[in-house]
Coordinates of all heavy atoms in Angstrom, one line a residue:
M170 N -12.2 -14.3 8.3 CA -12.5 -13.6 7.0 C -13.6 -14.4 6.3 O -13.6 -15.7 6.3 CB -11.3 -13.6 6.1 CG -11.5 -13.0 4.8 SD -10.1 -13.2 3.7 CE -8.9 -12.1 4.4
A171 N -14.7 -13.8 5.8 CA -15.8 -14.5 5.2 C -15.4 -14.8 3.7 O -15.0 -13.9 3.0 CB -17.0 -13.6 5.2
I172 N -15.5 -16.1 3.3 CA -15.3 -16.4 1.9 C -16.4 -17.2 1.3 O -17.2 -17.8 2.1 CB -13.9 -17.2 1.7 CG1 -14.0 -18.5 2.6 CG2 -12.7 -16.3 2.0 CD1 -13.0 -19.5 2.1
N173 N -16.5 -17.3 0.1 CA -17.5 -18.1 -0.6 C -16.9 -19.4 -1.1 O -16.1 -19.4 -2.0 CB -18.0 -17.2 -1.8 CG -19.5 -17.5 -2.0 OD1 -20.0 -18.5 -1.6 ND2 -20.2 -16.5 -2.6
N174 N -17.3 -20.5 -0.4 CA -16.7 -21.8 -0.9 C -17.5 -22.5 -2.0 O -18.5 -21.9 -2.5 CB -16.4 -22.7 0.4 CG -17.8 -23.1 1.0 OD1 -18.8 -23.0 0.4 ND2 -17.7 -23.6 2.2
E175 N -17.1 -23.7 -2.3 CA -17.8 -24.4 -3.5 C -19.3 -24.6 -3.3 O -20.0 -24.8 -4.2 CB -17.1 -25.7 -3.9 CG -17.1 -26.7 -2.8 CD -15.8 -27.5 -2.6 OE1 -14.8 -26.9 -2.9 OE2 -15.9 -28.6 -2.2
N176 N -19.7 -24.7 -2.0 CA -21.2 -24.9 -1.7 C -21.9 -23.6 -1.5 O -23.1 -23.6 -1.1 CB -21.3 -25.8 -0.5 CG -20.6 -27.1 -0.6 OD1 -20.7 -27.7 -1.7 ND2 -19.9 -27.5 0.4
N177 N -21.3 -22.5 -1.9 CA -21.9 -21.2 -1.8 C -22.3 -20.9 -0.3 O -23.3 -20.2 0.0 CB -23.1 -21.1 -2.6 CG -22.8 -20.4 -4.0 OD1 -21.7 -19.9 -4.1 ND2 -23.7 -20.4 -4.9
L178 N -21.5 -21.4 0.6 CA -21.7 -21.1 2.0 C -20.6 -20.1 2.5 O -19.4 -20.2 2.1 CB -21.6 -22.3 2.9 CG -22.7 -23.4 2.6 CD1 -22.3 -24.7 3.4 CD2 -24.0 -22.9 3.1
L179 N -21.0 -19.2 3.3 CA -20.0 -18.3 3.8 C -19.4 -18.9 5.0 O -20.0 -19.4 6.0 CB -20.7 -17.0 4.3 CG -21.1 -16.0 3.1 CD1 -21.7 -14.8 3.7 CD2 -19.9 -15.6 2.3
T180 N -18.1 -19.1 5.0 CA -17.4 -19.7 6.1 C -16.3 -18.8 6.6 O -15.9 -17.8 5.9 CB -16.7 -21.0 5.7 OG1 -15.9 -20.8 4.6 CG2 -17.8 -22.0 5.2
K181 N -15.8 -19.1 7.8 CA -14.6 -18.4 8.3 C -13.4 -19.1 8.0 O -13.2 -20.3 8.3 CB -14.8 -18.2 9.9 CG -15.7 -17.1 10.2 CD -15.7 -16.7 11.7 CE -16.6 -15.5 12.0 NZ -16.8 -15.3 13.4
E182 N -12.4 -18.4 7.5 CA -11.1 -18.9 7.2 C -10.1 -18.4 8.2 O -10.0 -17.2 8.4 CB -10.7 -18.5 5.8 CG -9.4 -19.0 5.3 CD -8.9 -18.3 4.0 OE1 -9.6 -17.4 3.5 OE2 -7.9 -18.8 3.5
K183 N -9.4 -19.4 8.8 CA -8.4 -19.0 9.8 C -7.1 -18.8 9.1 O -6.6 -19.7 8.4 CB -8.2 -20.0 10.9 CG -9.2 -19.9 12.0 CD -8.8 -20.7 13.2 CE -9.9 -20.6 14.2 NZ -10.0 -21.8 15.1
I184 N -6.5 -17.6 9.2 CA -5.2 -17.3 8.6 C -4.2 -17.3 9.7 O -4.3 -16.5 10.7 CB -5.2 -16.0 7.9 CG1 -6.2 -16.0 6.7 CG2 -3.8 -15.7 7.3 CD1 -6.4 -14.7 6.0
K185 N -3.2 -18.2 9.6 CA -2.2 -18.3 10.7 C -1.0 -17.4 10.3 O -0.4 -17.6 9.3 CB -1.7 -19.8 10.8 CG -1.0 -20.1 12.1 CD -0.8 -21.5 12.3 CE 0.0 -21.7 13.6 NZ 1.2 -22.5 13.4
L186 N -0.8 -16.4 11.2 CA 0.3 -15.5 11.0 C 1.4 -15.8 12.1 O 1.1 -15.7 13.2 CB -0.2 -14.1 11.1 CG -1.1 -13.5 10.0 CD1 -1.5 -12.1 10.3 CD2 -0.3 -13.6 8.7
E187 N 2.6 -16.1 11.6 CA 3.7 -16.3 12.5 C 4.3 -14.9 12.9 O 4.4 -14.1 12.0 CB 4.8 -17.1 11.9 CG 4.4 -18.6 11.5 CD 4.3 -19.5 12.7 OE1 4.9 -19.1 13.8 OE2 3.7 -20.6 12.6
K188 N 4.6 -14.7 14.2 CA 5.3 -13.5 14.5 C 6.7 -13.6 14.1 O 7.3 -14.7 14.2 CB 5.3 -13.3 16.1 CG 4.0 -12.6 16.6 CD 4.3 -12.0 17.9 CE 3.5 -12.7 19.0 NZ 4.0 -12.5 20.3
P189 N 7.3 -12.6 13.5 CA 8.7 -12.7 13.1 C 9.6 -12.9 14.2 O 9.4 -12.4 15.3 CB 9.0 -11.4 12.4 CG 8.0 -10.4 12.9 CD 6.8 -11.2 13.3
S190 N 10.6 -13.8 14.1 CA 11.6 -14.0 15.1 C 12.3 -12.7 15.4 O 12.5 -11.9 14.4 CB 12.6 -15.0 14.7 OG 12.0 -16.3 14.5
M191 N 12.7 -12.4 16.6 CA 13.4 -11.2 17.0 C 14.9 -11.5 17.4 O 15.2 -12.5 17.9 CB 12.7 -10.5 18.1 CG 11.2 -10.1 17.7 SD 11.2 -8.9 16.3 CE 11.4 -7.4 17.3
Y192 N 15.7 -10.5 17.1 CA 17.2 -10.7 17.3 C 17.7 -9.5 18.0 O 17.5 -8.3 17.7 CB 17.9 -10.8 15.9 CG 17.4 -12.1 15.2 CD1 16.2 -12.1 14.5 CD2 18.2 -13.2 15.2 CE1 15.8 -13.3 13.9 CE2 17.8 -14.4 14.6 CZ 16.6 -14.4 13.9 OH 16.2 -15.5 13.3
A193 N 18.5 -9.8 19.1 CA 19.2 -8.8 19.8 C 20.5 -8.4 19.2 O 21.2 -9.3 18.7 CB 19.4 -9.2 21.3
V194 N 20.8 -7.1 19.1 CA 22.1 -6.6 18.8 C 22.9 -6.5 20.1 O 22.5 -5.7 20.9 CB 22.1 -5.3 18.0 CG1 23.5 -4.9 17.7 CG2 21.3 -5.4 16.7
I195 N 23.9 -7.3 20.2 CA 24.7 -7.3 21.5 C 26.1 -6.6 21.2 O 26.8 -7.0 20.2 CB 25.0 -8.7 21.9 CG1 23.8 -9.5 21.9 CG2 25.8 -8.8 23.2 CD1 23.2 -9.9 23.2
M196 N 26.4 -5.6 22.0 CA 27.7 -4.9 21.8 C 28.7 -5.5 22.8 O 28.3 -5.7 24.0 CB 27.5 -3.4 22.0 CG 28.6 -2.6 21.4 SD 28.3 -0.8 21.6 CE 27.3 -0.5 20.1
L197 N 29.9 -5.7 22.4 CA 30.9 -6.3 23.3 C 31.9 -5.2 23.8 O 32.2 -4.2 23.1 CB 31.7 -7.3 22.4 CG 30.8 -8.4 21.8 CD1 31.7 -9.4 21.0 CD2 30.0 -9.1 22.8
N198 N 32.4 -5.4 25.0 CA 33.4 -4.5 25.5 C 34.8 -4.8 24.9 O 35.1 -5.8 24.3 CB 33.5 -4.7 27.0 CG 34.4 -3.7 27.7 OD1 34.4 -2.5 27.3 ND2 35.2 -4.1 28.7
D199 N 35.6 -3.7 24.9 CA 37.0 -3.9 24.5 C 37.8 -2.8 25.3 O 37.1 -2.0 26.0 CB 37.3 -3.7 23.0 CG 36.9 -2.3 22.5 OD1 37.7 -1.4 22.8 OD2 35.9 -2.2 21.8
D200 N 39.1 -2.9 25.3 CA 39.9 -1.9 26.1 C 40.2 -0.6 25.5 O 40.9 0.2 26.1 CB 41.2 -2.6 26.6 CG 41.0 -3.8 27.5 OD1 39.9 -3.8 28.2 OD2 41.8 -4.6 27.6
Y201 N 39.8 -0.5 24.2 CA 40.4 0.7 23.4 C 39.3 1.7 22.9 O 39.6 2.9 22.7 CB 41.2 0.1 22.2 CG 42.2 -0.8 22.6 CD1 42.1 -2.2 22.5 CD2 43.4 -0.4 23.2 CE1 43.1 -3.1 22.9 CE2 44.4 -1.3 23.6 CZ 44.2 -2.6 23.5 OH 45.2 -3.5 23.9
T202 N 38.1 1.2 22.6 CA 37.1 2.1 22.1 C 36.7 3.1 23.1 O 36.4 2.8 24.3 CB 35.8 1.3 21.6 OG1 36.2 0.3 20.7 CG2 34.8 2.3 20.9
P203 N 36.8 4.4 22.8 CA 36.5 5.4 23.8 C 35.0 5.4 24.3 O 34.1 5.1 23.4 CB 36.8 6.8 23.1 CG 37.7 6.4 22.0 CD 37.3 5.0 21.6
M204 N 34.8 5.6 25.5 CA 33.4 5.6 26.1 C 32.5 6.5 25.3 O 31.3 6.2 25.0 CB 33.4 5.9 27.6 CG 34.0 4.8 28.4 SD 34.0 5.3 30.2 CE 34.5 3.8 30.9
E205 N 33.0 7.7 25.0 CA 32.1 8.7 24.3 C 31.7 8.3 22.9 O 30.7 8.6 22.4 CB 32.7 10.1 24.3 CG 32.7 10.8 25.7 CD 31.3 11.0 26.3 OE1 30.3 11.2 25.5 OE2 31.2 11.1 27.5
F206 N 32.6 7.5 22.3 CA 32.3 7.0 20.9 C 31.2 5.9 21.0 O 30.3 6.0 20.2 CB 33.6 6.3 20.3 CG 33.4 5.8 18.9 CD1 33.5 6.6 17.8 CD2 33.0 4.4 18.7 CE1 33.3 6.1 16.6 CE2 32.8 4.0 17.4 CZ 32.9 4.8 16.3
V207 N 31.2 5.1 22.0 CA 30.2 4.1 22.2 C 28.8 4.8 22.5 O 27.8 4.4 22.0 CB 30.5 3.1 23.4 CG1 29.4 2.1 23.6 CG2 31.8 2.3 23.0
I208 N 28.9 5.8 23.3 CA 27.7 6.6 23.7 C 27.1 7.2 22.4 O 25.9 7.1 22.1 CB 27.9 7.6 24.7 CG1 28.2 7.0 26.1 CG2 26.7 8.6 24.9 CD1 28.7 7.9 27.1
Y209 N 28.0 7.8 21.5 CA 27.5 8.4 20.3 C 26.9 7.3 19.4 O 25.8 7.6 18.7 CB 28.7 9.1 19.6 CG 28.3 9.7 18.3 CD1 27.6 10.9 18.2 CD2 28.6 9.0 17.1 CE1 27.1 11.4 17.0 CE2 28.1 9.5 15.9 CZ 27.4 10.7 15.8 OH 27.0 11.2 14.6
V210 N 27.5 6.1 19.3 CA 26.9 5.1 18.4 C 25.6 4.6 18.9 O 24.6 4.4 18.1 CB 27.9 3.9 18.4 CG1 27.2 2.6 17.8 CG2 29.2 4.2 17.6
L211 N 25.4 4.5 20.2 CA 24.1 4.1 20.8 C 23.1 5.1 20.5 O 21.9 4.8 20.3 CB 24.3 3.8 22.3 CG 25.1 2.5 22.6 CD1 25.5 2.5 24.1 CD2 24.2 1.3 22.3
Q212 N 23.5 6.4 20.5 CA 22.5 7.5 20.2 C 22.1 7.5 18.7 O 21.0 7.6 18.4 CB 23.1 8.8 20.6 CG 23.2 9.0 22.1 CD 23.7 10.4 22.4 OE1 23.0 11.3 22.7 NE2 25.1 10.5 22.3
S213 N 23.2 7.4 17.9 CA 22.9 7.6 16.5 C 22.3 6.3 15.8 O 21.4 6.5 15.0 CB 24.2 8.0 15.7 OG 25.2 7.1 16.0
V214 N 22.8 5.2 16.1 CA 22.3 3.9 15.4 C 21.1 3.4 16.1 O 20.2 2.9 15.5 CB 23.4 2.9 15.4 CG1 22.9 1.6 14.7 CG2 24.7 3.4 14.6
F215 N 21.1 3.5 17.5 CA 20.0 2.8 18.2 C 19.0 3.8 18.8 O 18.1 3.4 19.6 CB 20.6 1.9 19.3 CG 21.4 0.8 18.7 CD1 22.8 0.9 18.6 CD2 20.8 -0.3 18.2 CE1 23.6 -0.1 18.1 CE2 21.6 -1.3 17.6 CZ 22.9 -1.2 17.5
K216 N 19.2 5.1 18.5 CA 18.2 6.1 18.9 C 18.0 6.2 20.4 O 16.8 6.5 20.8 CB 16.8 5.9 18.1 CG 17.0 5.8 16.6 CD 17.7 6.9 16.0 CE 18.0 6.7 14.5 NZ 19.0 7.5 14.0
K217 N 19.0 6.0 21.2 CA 18.9 6.2 22.6 C 19.2 7.6 23.0 O 20.0 8.3 22.3 CB 20.0 5.3 23.3 CG 19.9 3.8 23.0 CD 18.7 3.2 23.5 CE 18.7 1.7 23.2 NZ 17.4 1.1 23.5
N218 N 18.6 8.1 24.1 CA 19.0 9.4 24.6 C 20.3 9.3 25.3 O 20.8 8.2 25.6 CB 17.9 10.0 25.4 CG 17.6 9.2 26.7 OD1 18.5 8.7 27.3 ND2 16.3 9.2 27.1
Y219 N 20.9 10.4 25.7 CA 22.2 10.4 26.2 C 22.3 9.6 27.5 O 23.2 8.8 27.7 CB 22.8 11.8 26.5 CG 24.2 11.8 26.9 CD1 25.2 11.8 26.0 CD2 24.5 11.8 28.3 CE1 26.6 11.8 26.4 CE2 25.9 11.8 28.7 CZ 26.9 11.7 27.7 OH 28.2 11.7 28.1
E220 N 21.3 9.7 28.4 CA 21.3 9.0 29.7 C 21.3 7.5 29.5 O 22.0 6.7 30.1 CB 20.2 9.5 30.6 CG 20.3 10.9 31.1 CD 20.2 12.0 30.1 OE1 19.5 11.8 29.1 OE2 21.0 13.0 30.2
D221 N 20.3 7.1 28.6 CA 20.2 5.6 28.4 C 21.4 5.1 27.7 O 21.9 4.0 28.0 CB 19.0 5.3 27.5 CG 17.7 5.5 28.2 OD1 17.7 5.7 29.5 OD2 16.6 5.5 27.6
A222 N 22.0 5.9 26.7 CA 23.2 5.4 26.0 C 24.4 5.3 27.0 O 25.1 4.3 26.9 CB 23.5 6.4 24.9
K223 N 24.5 6.2 27.9 CA 25.6 6.1 28.9 C 25.4 4.9 29.8 O 26.4 4.2 30.1 CB 25.6 7.4 29.7 CG 26.8 7.5 30.7 CD 26.8 8.8 31.4 CE 28.0 8.8 32.4 NZ 27.9 10.0 33.3
S224 N 24.2 4.7 30.2 CA 23.9 3.5 31.1 C 24.2 2.2 30.4 O 24.8 1.3 31.0 CB 22.4 3.6 31.5 OG 22.0 2.4 32.0
I225 N 23.8 2.1 29.1 CA 24.1 0.8 28.4 C 25.6 0.7 28.2 O 26.2 -0.4 28.4 CB 23.4 0.9 27.0 CG1 21.9 0.8 27.2 CG2 23.8 -0.3 26.1 CD1 21.0 1.1 26.0
M226 N 26.3 1.8 27.8 CA 27.7 1.7 27.7 C 28.4 1.2 28.9 O 29.3 0.4 28.9 CB 28.2 3.1 27.2 CG 29.7 3.2 27.0 SD 30.8 3.3 28.4 CE 30.3 4.9 29.1
L227 N 28.0 1.8 30.1 CA 28.6 1.4 31.4 C 28.3 -0.1 31.7 O 29.2 -0.8 32.2 CB 28.1 2.3 32.5 CG 28.7 3.7 32.5 CD1 28.1 4.6 33.5 CD2 30.3 3.6 32.6
T228 N 27.1 -0.6 31.3 CA 26.8 -2.0 31.5 C 27.8 -2.9 30.7 O 28.3 -3.8 31.2 CB 25.4 -2.3 31.1 OG1 24.5 -1.6 31.9 CG2 25.0 -3.8 31.2
I229 N 28.0 -2.5 29.4 CA 28.9 -3.2 28.6 C 30.3 -3.2 29.2 O 31.0 -4.2 29.2 CB 28.9 -2.7 27.1 CG1 27.5 -2.7 26.6 CG2 29.8 -3.4 26.3 CD1 27.3 -1.9 25.3
H230 N 30.7 -2.0 29.6 CA 32.1 -1.8 30.1 C 32.3 -2.6 31.4 O 33.3 -3.2 31.5 CB 32.2 -0.3 30.5 CG 33.5 0.1 31.1 ND1 34.7 0.1 30.4 CD2 33.8 0.4 32.4 CE1 35.7 0.4 31.2 NE2 35.2 0.6 32.4
N231 N 31.3 -2.7 32.2 CA 31.4 -3.5 33.5 C 31.2 -4.9 33.4 O 31.7 -5.7 34.1 CB 30.5 -2.9 34.5 CG 30.9 -1.5 34.9 OD1 32.1 -1.2 35.1 ND2 29.9 -0.6 35.1
E232 N 30.3 -5.3 32.4 CA 29.8 -6.7 32.4 C 30.3 -7.5 31.1 O 30.1 -8.7 31.0 CB 28.3 -6.8 32.5 CG 27.9 -6.3 33.9 CD 26.3 -6.3 34.0 OE1 25.6 -6.9 33.3 OE2 25.9 -5.6 35.0
G233 N 31.0 -6.7 30.2 CA 31.5 -7.4 29.0 C 30.7 -7.3 27.8 O 31.2 -7.5 26.7
K234 N 29.4 -7.2 28.0 CA 28.5 -7.1 26.8 C 27.1 -6.5 27.3 O 26.9 -6.4 28.5 CB 28.3 -8.5 26.2 CG 27.6 -9.5 27.1 CD 27.5 -10.8 26.4 CE 26.9 -11.8 27.4 NZ 26.8 -13.2 26.9
G235 N 26.4 -6.1 26.3 CA 25.0 -5.5 26.6 C 24.2 -5.4 25.4 O 24.7 -5.4 24.2
I236 N 22.9 -5.4 25.6 CA 21.9 -5.4 24.5 C 21.6 -3.9 24.1 O 21.3 -3.1 24.9 CB 20.6 -6.0 24.9 CG1 20.8 -7.5 25.2 CG2 19.5 -5.9 23.8 CD1 19.6 -8.3 25.6
C237 N 21.8 -3.6 22.8 CA 21.6 -2.3 22.3 C 20.1 -2.1 21.8 O 19.6 -1.0 21.7 CB 22.5 -2.0 21.1 SG 24.2 -2.3 21.4
G238 N 19.5 -3.3 21.4 CA 18.1 -3.2 20.9 C 17.7 -4.6 20.4 O 18.6 -5.4 20.2
V239 N 16.4 -4.8 20.1 CA 15.9 -6.1 19.6 C 15.1 -5.8 18.4 O 14.2 -4.9 18.4 CB 15.1 -6.8 20.7 CG1 14.5 -8.1 20.1 CG2 15.9 -7.1 21.9
F240 N 15.4 -6.4 17.3 CA 14.8 -6.1 16.0 C 14.6 -7.4 15.1 O 15.2 -8.4 15.4 CB 15.8 -5.2 15.2 CG 16.3 -4.1 15.9 CD1 17.5 -4.1 16.6 CD2 15.6 -2.9 16.0 CE1 18.0 -3.1 17.3 CE2 16.1 -1.8 16.7 CZ 17.3 -1.9 17.4
P241 N 13.8 -7.3 14.1 CA 13.7 -8.3 13.1 C 15.2 -8.5 12.5 O 16.0 -7.6 12.5 CB 12.8 -7.8 12.0 CG 11.9 -6.8 12.7 CD 12.8 -6.2 13.7
L242 N 15.4 -9.7 11.9 CA 16.8 -10.1 11.6 C 17.5 -9.1 10.6 O 18.6 -8.7 10.9 CB 16.8 -11.5 10.9 CG 18.2 -12.0 10.5 CD1 19.1 -12.1 11.7 CD2 18.1 -13.4 9.9
D243 N 16.8 -8.6 9.6 CA 17.4 -7.7 8.6 C 17.8 -6.4 9.2 O 18.9 -5.9 9.0 CB 16.6 -7.5 7.4 CG 15.2 -7.0 7.7 OD1 14.7 -7.2 8.9 OD2 14.5 -6.5 6.8
I244 N 17.0 -5.9 10.1 CA 17.3 -4.6 10.8 C 18.4 -4.8 11.8 O 19.4 -4.0 11.8 CB 16.0 -4.0 11.4 CG1 15.0 -3.7 10.4 CG2 16.4 -2.8 12.3 CD1 13.7 -3.2 10.9
A245 N 18.4 -5.9 12.5 CA 19.5 -6.2 13.5 C 20.8 -6.3 12.8 O 21.8 -5.7 13.2 CB 19.2 -7.5 14.3
E246 N 20.9 -7.0 11.7 CA 22.1 -7.2 10.9 C 22.6 -5.9 10.3 O 23.8 -5.6 10.3 CB 22.0 -8.2 9.8 CG 22.0 -9.6 10.4 CD 21.8 -10.7 9.4 OE1 21.3 -10.5 8.3 OE2 22.2 -11.9 9.7
T247 N 21.7 -5.1 9.8 CA 22.0 -3.8 9.3 C 22.7 -2.9 10.3 O 23.7 -2.2 10.1 CB 20.8 -3.1 8.7 OG1 20.3 -3.9 7.6 CG2 21.2 -1.7 8.1
K248 N 22.0 -2.8 11.5 CA 22.5 -2.0 12.6 C 23.9 -2.5 13.1 O 24.8 -1.7 13.3 CB 21.5 -1.9 13.7 CG 20.3 -1.0 13.4 CD 19.4 -0.9 14.5 CE 18.1 -0.1 14.1 NZ 18.3 1.3 13.9
A249 N 24.0 -3.8 13.2 CA 25.3 -4.3 13.7 C 26.4 -4.0 12.7 O 27.6 -3.6 13.0 CB 25.2 -5.8 13.9
N250 N 26.1 -4.1 11.4 CA 27.1 -3.8 10.3 C 27.4 -2.3 10.3 O 28.6 -1.9 10.2 CB 26.6 -4.1 8.9 CG 26.5 -5.6 8.7 OD1 27.3 -6.4 9.4 ND2 25.7 -6.1 7.8
Q251 N 26.4 -1.4 10.6 CA 26.7 0.0 10.6 C 27.6 0.4 11.8 O 28.5 1.2 11.6 CB 25.3 0.8 10.8 CG 24.5 0.9 9.6 CD 23.1 1.5 9.8 OE1 22.6 1.6 11.0 NE2 22.4 1.8 8.8
V252 N 27.4 -0.3 12.9 CA 28.3 0.0 14.1 C 29.7 -0.4 13.8 O 30.6 0.4 14.0 CB 27.8 -0.9 15.3 CG1 28.8 -0.8 16.4 CG2 26.4 -0.4 15.8
V253 N 29.9 -1.6 13.2 CA 31.3 -2.1 13.0 C 31.9 -1.2 11.9 O 33.1 -0.8 12.0 CB 31.3 -3.6 12.6 CG1 32.6 -4.0 12.1 CG2 30.8 -4.4 13.8
E254 N 31.2 -0.9 10.8 CA 31.7 -0.1 9.7 C 32.2 1.3 10.3 O 33.3 1.8 10.0 CB 30.7 0.1 8.6 CG 31.2 0.8 7.4 CD 30.2 1.0 6.3 OE1 29.1 0.4 6.4 OE2 30.4 1.7 5.4
F255 N 31.3 1.9 11.1 CA 31.6 3.3 11.6 C 32.8 3.2 12.6 O 33.7 4.1 12.6 CB 30.4 3.8 12.3 CG 30.5 5.2 12.8 CD1 30.9 6.3 11.9 CD2 30.3 5.6 14.1 CE1 31.0 7.6 12.4 CE2 30.4 6.9 14.6 CZ 30.8 7.9 13.7
A256 N 32.9 2.1 13.4 CA 34.0 1.9 14.3 C 35.3 1.8 13.5 O 36.3 2.4 13.9 CB 33.8 0.7 15.2
R257 N 35.3 1.0 12.4 CA 36.5 0.8 11.7 C 37.0 2.0 11.0 O 38.2 2.3 10.9 CB 36.3 -0.3 10.6 CG 36.1 -1.7 11.2 CD 37.2 -2.2 12.1 NE 36.8 -3.5 12.7 CZ 36.0 -3.5 13.8 NH1 35.7 -2.4 14.5 NH2 35.7 -4.7 14.3
I258 N 36.0 2.8 10.5 CA 36.4 4.1 9.8 C 37.2 5.0 10.8 O 38.1 5.7 10.5 CB 35.1 4.8 9.3 CG1 34.6 4.1 8.1 CG2 35.4 6.3 9.0 CD1 33.2 4.6 7.7
N259 N 36.8 4.9 12.1 CA 37.4 5.6 13.2 C 38.5 4.9 13.9 O 39.0 5.3 15.0 CB 36.3 6.1 14.2 CG 35.4 7.2 13.5 OD1 35.8 8.4 13.5 ND2 34.3 6.8 13.0
Q260 N 38.8 3.7 13.3 CA 40.0 2.9 13.8 C 39.8 2.4 15.3 O 40.7 2.4 16.1 CB 41.3 3.6 13.7 CG 41.5 4.0 12.2 CD 42.8 4.7 11.9 OE1 43.3 5.5 12.7 NE2 43.4 4.3 10.8
H261 N 38.5 2.0 15.6 CA 38.2 1.4 16.9 C 37.9 0.0 16.7 O 37.2 -0.4 15.7 CB 37.1 2.2 17.6 CG 37.3 3.6 17.8 ND1 38.5 4.1 18.4 CD2 36.6 4.7 17.6 CE1 38.5 5.4 18.5 NE2 37.3 5.8 18.0
P262 N 38.2 -0.9 17.7 CA 38.0 -2.3 17.5 C 36.6 -2.8 18.0 O 36.4 -4.0 18.1 CB 39.1 -3.0 18.4 CG 39.2 -2.0 19.5 CD 39.0 -0.6 18.9
L263 N 35.7 -1.9 18.2 CA 34.3 -2.2 18.7 C 33.7 -3.4 17.9 O 33.7 -3.3 16.6 CB 33.5 -0.9 18.6 CG 32.0 -1.0 19.2 CD1 32.1 -1.2 20.7 CD2 31.4 0.4 18.9
E264 N 33.1 -4.3 18.6 CA 32.4 -5.5 17.9 C 31.0 -5.6 18.4 O 30.7 -5.3 19.6 CB 33.2 -6.8 18.3 CG 34.5 -6.9 17.5 CD 34.3 -7.2 16.0 OE1 33.1 -7.4 15.6 OE2 35.3 -7.3 15.3
C265 N 30.2 -6.1 17.5 CA 28.7 -6.4 17.8 C 28.4 -7.8 17.4 O 29.1 -8.3 16.4 CB 27.9 -5.5 16.9 SG 27.4 -4.0 17.6
K266 N 27.5 -8.4 18.0 CA 26.9 -9.7 17.4 C 25.4 -9.7 17.5 O 24.8 -8.9 18.2 CB 27.5 -10.9 18.2 CG 27.2 -11.0 19.6 CD 27.8 -12.2 20.2 CE 27.4 -12.3 21.7 NZ 28.0 -13.4 22.4
V267 N 24.8 -10.5 16.6 CA 23.4 -10.6 16.5 C 23.0 -11.9 17.1 O 23.6 -13.0 16.7 CB 22.9 -10.4 15.1 CG1 21.4 -10.8 14.9 CG2 23.2 -9.0 14.6
Q268 N 22.0 -11.9 18.0 CA 21.7 -13.2 18.7 C 20.1 -13.4 18.8 O 19.4 -12.5 19.2 CB 22.2 -13.1 20.2 CG 22.0 -14.3 21.0 CD 22.5 -14.1 22.4 OE1 23.8 -14.0 22.6 NE2 21.7 -13.9 23.4
K269 N 19.7 -14.5 18.3 CA 18.2 -14.8 18.3 C 17.7 -14.8 19.7 O 18.3 -15.3 20.6 CB 18.0 -16.1 17.6 CG 16.5 -16.3 17.3 CD 16.3 -17.6 16.4 CE 14.8 -17.6 16.0 NZ 14.5 -18.9 15.4
Q270 N 16.5 -14.2 19.8 CA 15.9 -14.1 21.2 C 15.2 -15.4 21.6 O 14.6 -16.1 20.7 CB 14.9 -13.0 21.2 CG 15.5 -11.6 21.2 CD 16.4 -11.3 22.4 OE1 17.6 -11.6 22.3 NE2 15.8 -10.8 23.4
Ligands
TYC82 N1 36.0 -0.4 27.8 C1 36.1 0.8 27.0 C2 37.0 1.9 27.7 O1 37.3 1.7 28.9 C3 34.7 1.5 26.8 C4 33.8 0.6 26.0 C5 32.5 0.4 26.4 C6 34.2 -0.1 24.9 C7 31.6 -0.4 25.7 C8 33.4 -0.9 24.1 O2 31.2 -1.8 23.8 C9 32.1 -1.0 24.5 N2 37.4 2.9 27.0

């Protein structure tokens, strides 16, 4: 960026911009939450299509956990909270955690 300094010279100023840290929302498996409920949550909260949502759900079911998406911290925490709140309203024990990438 060109600026006018005290000697009236045009100089270039370097502006250092840090990329925001990114956080994964990780969904955990349990024995009780219905598979179709997890697929619905992945579609509604994480905007996955049905095929991708089913594939992520099966990964979680088979491997114990899976990544739903990667976001800046405030968005990751909001989505994790939405998942748990919606699960509790429906009396499912579904859990999420937020993990720095
Ligand atoms: N294991 C659950 C079942 O057999 C399905 C499930 C998948 C639950 C993913 C939670 O994050 C989860 N009904």
